Every structure is written in structure tokens, then in C-alpha cells.
Amino acid sequence: MQSANLLLKKLLRSSVLPFAAQHGMKKDLFPLSRTLSLSRCLKQDNSCDPSEKLDLDGWKKVMKSGLQEAVSETVSEHKELSTLAAAREILEMWRLAGRLVPENISEEQLKTYIECPSKSAKKKYLKYLYLRELYKRNNKRKTDGKRERKLESQEEASKSDETKRNSLVCLWANSMDRAYSWRLAQSMIFGQPLVFDMSYEREMSAREVANTVRQLVLSEGCNRRSVDPFHIHFCNFKDNSLYHKEFIKHYREAWGRLLITVTDQCYTDVFPKDKLIYLTADSPKVMKTFDHDKVYIVGSMVDKSIKTGCSLARAKRLGLETAALPLEKYLLWHSGAKNLTLDQMMHILLTLKDTGDWKKALEFVPKRKYYGFVNKPVDELKKTLNLINTLKLGKRQEEIRKQFAKNYSKKLTHK
Amino acid sequence: VQPPEKPLQAEEWNRLRESFQSPEVFEEVMFNSMLRCNSPIDVAKSLLTHVAKSNGDIAYNLLVKYLALCVQQGQTSEICDVYDIMKIKFKILEGGAYNLLIRGMSNSDQWRMALTLLEEVKKIMIPSRTNYESCIKAAIRHQEMNLAFELYHEMLAKDVVPTLDVLQAFFDFNRGMKGAELQKELFGILLYLRENQIYPHKTFMRSIKLWFESIPGGNWRGHLTNITDSGQCPVCSHQLEDCDLTEEEYNNLRERIIRDVIHGTDTFRKTSPQEFEAFQTFVENRLPFDIVIDGLNVSHIKPRKMHCENLFDAVNCLAKENARLLVLGRKHMLSNSSNWKREIMKEMQNKAHFFFAENISEDDAFLLYATLRSGKHCKFVTRDFLRDHKACLSDTLTRHLFRKWQRGHQIAKSEKVFLSVSIQQPALPYDCVVQTTGDTWHIPYKDTFEEKYSYQVPRKWLCIQQKL
């Protein structure tokens, strides 16, 4: 079998080379008909000086002359292509064609790419990888630059050779960490619990899970740094789930040392039912004040394709009380969904816990989503907005009517 | 940048390049503008020569752009040359280059080359619909009907949706041809339109008409007409198919509505199991209804009026005909408020059956269920297009069934005009698809090429009948 393959390869090699050679010869032997047409073109154009005649097909010769070596290379590489290698080659061609495709792609990413169900999904995934690569490269450039500058300044400092005296040993980061941990440990005994419901894995794509975990890591971080942290519970947490894998990616060994409670139990098993409040944007009830005796539940879910009623369904099934943030009441909403990211929720809840001031807490809602804070009652504002809109629209309508009348009279005169 | 009108020397290109603000992308930008202005091909060649001589190589994207220019101007021999160069230089090409090559080749006398290219594309991906379009059109143009149909069937087998242009080409180029096999294939295309609820546009319709009339010995005659509201064709006085689904389709649709729309991934998202069960027993005990009304939707028809007044008008108007009514609403309608007066609600409950869902439940799903459960004669009243519910259905076939059923059973305006300004047509008694009885064909068509909302159905028809 192998020998047959070898033979085939040899045949291929020997058959391609003469073909290429023949091709080259043909060019030299027959002055192509195209050059003929060119000369005719030149005759017509008298302004063109014959001395500066252009060899318009010169590029073809250049392209083909460089091929002789290239051909022998490609032939020696010629193998039976696996699907992965084939995909890699297509990607390379796309990159050459100037599409948004990453330069380097790992085996794993390539597999995900092949498994994408449609052409557009593939395109999207590639663009995502491309942008990520771009960000990484830019970041690396920046950090490299910083490091160099730092080294330079250090050298200068060492030249000047000046020892500084300080009463405190520089151990800030370490001691800060210890202080935070102390506070967290306290909150784990005395603090108010905050539950993250980790039961949404089935509703999310792998990328959404990754985003969720990122947001959770951020919220854990800001909880740790706060003055009076929550006692965080991850409920319905299954070992070896996607969530778990992503967490390990982020925290590595530190995952085991985190000062939070992780359990596969449901929150209804951990806490009395009447103390639980499920926070969801779909809730018909609006939160009025922050209750320090209740246990709030936040669904750990990122839904890029907004799936309404998912978390509300959870609460309904278990018969829990629900609540939504009073966004409408305090903010004049502009655009965007009312669901916020997990770290924003964390910021808001922490601020509420510390101060109970809604205005301060809702500062953490992204600015692009609202026009401003509501000072007057909302109804009044809405009325003025409506008035403005109708005035605007009314004017526009009149304009359209005028335009129409104009066109119409034109048509009539044409007739 | 304005491309030059004549081929330039290397120095001239260099000068131009240096005067350009970002020289790295100069060639690309220049080629783009050449494409836009459709510059003579010699200009592009001179630029390529310049690039090749200064770099010793030409980047793939420049080659593709040059190829695009050649295709745009139909320079077949150039296309072949570029293909040769690409073929030796790169192991495979990407979709964009293949698209251009196939398009360019199929319009030339070397159109068979396009077919081999199509084979190459198949090795690396599913060819696009335009690839197939070019090849099929080329085959049709050269009277290779078997090949064309082979490609067409292959395309359908791969779930690639054919363009209307291709379908039209089949009719255009077979005018006056004879052959039972051919006729069968073209009828097959018409049935494809029927199954996918596609409406041909005016020029396509004309091609169909001309083809029918040109069949030798077929004696087909086509007329443009409007179908009456009752569903009769004024030309041949044939009664069109009605909107009713078959028993099997009907049951299928009902099952799917329960499974996909009401339950979905989680019954609690739209209702709760207890509530749905309660609703089911409620409906079973009072079957059948004639009209099911979406109470909240109807109550918002006239914004100046009180909500319950609107509903009251609608119920009154519909109740006159001795119909069994079901009004769906939510519990908050029962609490006495400025919009919902208790006395009026009481009075209405004497005239119609009422079911009040929880305030956070979705009543539309109940509306669909109740109507479907009552049987084929039952209609429903709402101005909602129910698109989100249609979207819950997972496959296109069921969606088509839903659309068809919705067309026949949804009322947004009664004949008695209680809802002043209408948004939608009244329920049509006939089905709006391509249909045949063997010796007649009725084909709905769009007046203009694009303008049609998905919920609107065309009112113009082509009636074709065979005179024996």
C-alpha cells in the first residue's frame, strides 16, 4: 500500500513539472495574441511613445517564474488532507483575501470552528477570534513598552543611588489581602447571605457560560474589597460542570481557598423559603427598599439572545417571592435591556446595603442605558416627552404633506 | 482616488503611490476604485506589473480584485490566466475567488469550466446559491436541460434555496419546447413554489404564462385576474382551495402549539401547569366556541375610550349573531378600576364565557389553544400578528401550517366594522398558494418585486386553463 502511494507521489511529481515547463515554453514560443491586440491599441493611441512601450503581461511572467521552486515545494508537501488541515488552509486563504480571520488558531479552536452549524456562525466565531487576537497583541505591545520604560527609570534611579527611608515596609498588597480575608471570614459567620443560582447551564452557550463566570469573578472581587461584604453562596453548583471548569480556568489553585460557600443544594434547602427573594427583571413586583433580613437570589445567567421569563419561571416553580430593581422609577430609560450584568448587580446591592440610597446605587447602571435621573414624578416627564415627540412628529407630518402636495402638482403639470 | 485612464509606467505608479496618504494600502484602494469606475483592464495590468516587478510577487487579495475587474468586463482569457496562476500558486482558493471564477466562466463559451470549478468548491464547502445560479443558467442557455435539472435537484437536496431568477430562467428558456419529462419538471417547480409559499413577482409570472401558452398542442390560456372575496375565480369560475387544514395537519398543529408554544422549554415561563390544567378543563366543559377574543388586545383598540368599553362594544357586536364567545383576559380586569368597571364586566359575562389568567401569564397561548380545540369553524379576534408564537414553532413546515391556519381564522376586522380602522385583512375563505386541478392552474403573484409584508397575501392572480 505504502509503496503504491510512493509511486503515485512520484508520478504526480514527474507529471506536474513537465506541465509547468511546457507552460513556460508556450509563453516563449508564441507571442500571445493578447500582445497583438495591445499593439493595435497602441496604434490607435498616437500620443503613446513607442519607446516607452509597456509590457502589460509582464506580471504573469514574474508570477510564473517564481513558481518553479514553489511547485516542487508544494508537491513534496502533498499529502492526504485531514479535515482539520483543510480547514486551516481555507482559513489561511481567507486571511490572504483580507477577511477578519485570526493569524494563529489552536487545534481546539479549529474544532469549535468546524462544529459551527452555519456559515454565518463560522464567520462570527472567526471574527471573535480575530478581535481577541488583535486586543491581545495591542495589550502586549503596551505592557512591553511600559516594562522598558520602567527598566530605564530604574537604571536612572540606581545611577543616582539614593536610598529611601520609610517607617513602613512595603507590603501593601499582601496586608490588604489579609485584611480583606479577615473581613470576608467574618461575613461568612455573621454576614448577610447573597445567593447566585447556578442552574442555567442548559440555557446558555459555552461562550455565555464563560462570560457569566467572568462576571462572577468580577463580582466576587468587588465583594471582597467592600467594607461590609456579603456571604456569597453558589447554589445548585454541580462539580465538573461547565461553570466549574471555567472557574478553575480563572482562579486556578485559589478556587479551593475562596471564602464563599459553594453547594450543589438548592437555595430552598439552605434557607427558609419566606426569606428568599428572587431578583429578576421580569418580575411584576418592584423593589422598594433593601431588606437586611432577606436573602436575595441572583440568576447566574448571561442571555445574549434575550430569553424572557427564564428566571421568573424558576421562582414561580418554587413559589418564591420575586422583585425587580426600580429602574423605571429612578431613571429615565433610554435603550437597552433592563437586565444588568452580575457585577453591576453586585455593585448596586453592596451600595444599597451600605447606604440604602437608590440614587447612589443606580449610578452603576451603564450610562448609555438611560438619559438621566428622575427628579420629577415620572408621569410628568413622560408627558413632556410625549409632547415633544408629537410636536416633532406633527411638524414632520406637515412637511411630508407639503412635499406630497408639491410632487402631486408637479405630476399634474407634467400631464 | 481617481484611477488613471491609461496604463502607467513604473515611475508614474511610484509617484502616485508616494502622494497617497497611506502607501501600504495604496494598491488595494486603487483596485477598489478601478472596480468602481470600471477602468480599462490595461490600467490594472500595468499596476500589477509594477507590483510584480517591485515585490517579485502579487498578494492574493490583489489577484482577486483584478479577477473581479476581469469578470465585470467579461474578459474570459484573462480570467483563465488568473485562474492558472492561482491554481499553481495556491493549493486551494477561498469562496470569494471561486464565486468570481464561476460567474466569469459561466458567461463565456468555456462555461463547462464553471462546472469543474463547482466540483472543486464542493470539496471544501457547500456552494452558495449564486454559484448554482450561474452554473444552472449557463447550462440552460446551452440547452443542456438534463444537466440544469440535475444541478437544481442537487441544490434542493443540499437545502440551498434557489433564487427566483433561476426558476424564471427555466421557464424562459423552455418556451415552445415539447416533452413530457420537461413539463413534469417545470410543474415540479410550480409545486415547489406552492410548498414553500413563495409568490412569483410580475415578470416571473409573465414567464410562466408565456411558457404555458407556448406548449405545442397544450391549448393553455392564461388570464390575469382578481379573485372574489368568496374565493371564486371570475375567469373560469373555479372555486379555490379553502384554508382548512386536513384532519392530520390540524391535530399536528394543535400538538405542536401545546408542546412548543405553551410548554416550550419550561411551562412556567408562560403559565404554570396548574393554570394550564385549569384552563383545559374550563375549555373542555364549555366546547365548542365560535369566536375566541383576546380581551386585552381588543380593549386597546380605541385609545380614547375606556378599556372595558371597547371590549363591551366588541362583545356586543359579535354576540348578536348568536355565537358562542370566549373572552380571554387577566385577573387584574376584575379589580374595579378606572379602566375596568365592575358593572360592565358583570354584564359582559352574561353574554360570553370568560377566562381570567394570572397577571403574569401569557394569554395568547391560551387563545390559540382554545381556538384550535373548538374545531375548524372557530375564529379568533386579535390585532396581534402572533409572530413571537410562530417563532416558537421549531420547523418551517409547522410554521407554514400555522400561517395558513392563521390566515383563515384570524379576524382583525369584522364585516360589521366594529373595529373602525382595520390593520389586517379579514379572514380569507380561500388559501393563497399556487394551486392546480390538472387542467387549471391558479398562481398568486406580487405586483412589485419586493414590496410585501409577510402577513399580507397578494390579491392578484394568474389563472391558466386548458381548453380541450
Side-chain angles (χ1 to χ4, degrees), chain A residues 34 52 60 308 316-317, chain B residues 9 78 81 266 268-269:
Chain A
R34 245 157 276 137
E52 49 175 301
K60 286 180 195 165
T308 26
K316 252 173 148 184
R317 168 171 290 133
Chain B
Q9 294 287 357
E78 278 304 308
D81 277 359
D266 189 348
F268 283 97
R269 277 176 75 171

Side-chain angles (χ1 to χ4, degrees), chain A residues 34 45 52 54-57 59-60 63 71 89-90 93-94 96 119 284 308-309 313 316-317, chain B residues 6-7 9 42 45 49 58 60-61 66 77-78 81 88-89 91-92 94 126 266 268-269 271 360:
Chain A
R34 245 157 276 137
D45 200 355
E52 49 175 301
L54 277 166
D55 179 15
L56 288 179
D57 287 328
W59 61 277
K60 286 180 195 165
M63 291 300 280
V71 166
E89 272 184 31
I90 295 173
M93 290 318 286
W94 280 356
L96 286 179
K119 272 186 189 174
T308 26
K316 252 173 148 184
R317 168 171 290 133
Chain B
K6 276 179 235 150
Q9 294 287 357
D42 285 345
K45 274 184 186 176
T49 309
I58 298 171
Y60 179 75
N61 59 344
Y66 175 63
S77 61
E78 278 304 308
D81 277 359
I88 322 176
K89 214 160 157 2
K91 252 188 256 173
I92 52 163
E94 45 78 59
I126 296 174
D266 189 348
F268 283 97
R269 277 176 75 171
T271 166
I360 49 171

